[in-house]
Amino acid sequence: MITISEASIQDFETIREIAYTTWPVVYGEILSKAQLDYMLENFYSDATLADNLVNKGHRFILVNEGAVCLGFASYEHHYLGKSTTRLHKIYLLTESQGKGIGKLLIDEITVLAKENQCNAISLNVNKFNKAHFFYKKMGFEVIAEEDLEIGNGYLMEDYRMEKKL
């Protein structure tokens, strides 16, 4: 049985394990190993995850099949003071992809966004990440292209996408 539950600080190790498992598959042909390592260390440290959860208003949800965690997502309502929910992260184990689980997470975040009076969901996705096709299928549209400096001389080349609710 597939379940979705809210994550807490106690789930950081699970979130980190999924990120460290999925990122080399997702980004291995897009980013250098050095940039991949830099981003994982910076985005998934306990300090960064705690800051996101406690200080920045990010919420994390886990999707499980029985006792096995298949993936996670993080989001933030009223992003930048607007009536938009921001999808910060969504990652599924490779063997869980293509089975409707990503759609379940997007649907859950859509319900939560509406409950919080948000009228859109926004996200950034690497231009070379095949996930942007998934987002288009889920109703997101590319609204801009962004090159974001993330430190250490690294750049994220993204599409900014949005789905109206």
Side-chain angles (χ1 to χ4, degrees):
M1 178 176 169
I2 304 292
T3 58
I4 297 175
S5 59
E6 187 161 354
S8 68
I9 290 173
Q10 289 75 28
D11 297 304
F12 286 174
E13 185 59 35
T14 299
I15 290 167
R16 189 171 21 263
E17 285 174 10
I18 290 168
Y20 274 76
T21 300
T22 58
W23 274 48
V25 175
V26 172
Y27 299 111
E29 295 180 6
I30 300 171
L31 306 175
S32 70
K33 182 173 180 345
Q35 182 172 349
L36 191 66
D37 291 344
Y38 173 83
M39 292 173 71
L40 282 167
E41 289 173 22
N42 281 285
F43 295 175
Y44 291 98
S45 70
D46 279 343
T48 299
L49 291 171
D51 184 50
N52 288 340
L53 181 67
V54 175
N55 299 320
K56 294 183 178 174
H58 296 199
R59 294 290 165 251
F60 292 82
I61 54 177
L62 304 175
V63 59
N64 293 284
E65 185 169 24
V68 178
C69 187
L70 305 175
F72 73 93
S74 74
Y75 60 92
E76 173 188 359
H77 299 303
H78 304 287
Y79 181 64
L80 300 177
K82 299 179 182 177
S83 57
T84 299
T85 292
R86 178 68 167 186
L87 177 59
H88 289 289
K89 301 173 183 4
I90 182 170
Y91 292 100
L92 296 174
L93 295 174
T94 305
E95 59 271 19
S96 301
Q97 295 175 8
K99 298 179 179 179
I101 296 168
K103 181 182 182 319
L104 286 175
L105 287 171
I106 297 288
D107 289 348
E108 178 71 12
I109 292 167
T110 299
V111 168
L112 294 167
K114 288 177 180 178
E115 287 175 358
N116 283 273
Q117 291 77 48
C118 290
N119 57 24
I121 300 174
S122 70
L123 60 88
N124 274 41
V125 62
N126 184 287
K127 293 176 191 176
F128 307 104
N129 184 341
K130 295 174 188 165
H132 78 273
F133 296 113
F134 164 75
Y135 295 126
K136 285 182 180 179
K137 187 176 176 183
M138 295 294 104
F140 288 84
E141 297 179 7
V142 174
I143 59 169
E145 293 187 23
E146 297 179 328
D147 291 337
L148 306 167
E149 302 228 6
I150 58 167
N152 213 33
Y154 296 123
L155 186 67
M156 292 195 320
E157 300 170 279
D158 288 355
Y159 290 129
R160 187 162 22 115
M161 300 183 80
E162 188 172 276
K163 175 182 179 176
K164 300 287 186 197
L165 303 178

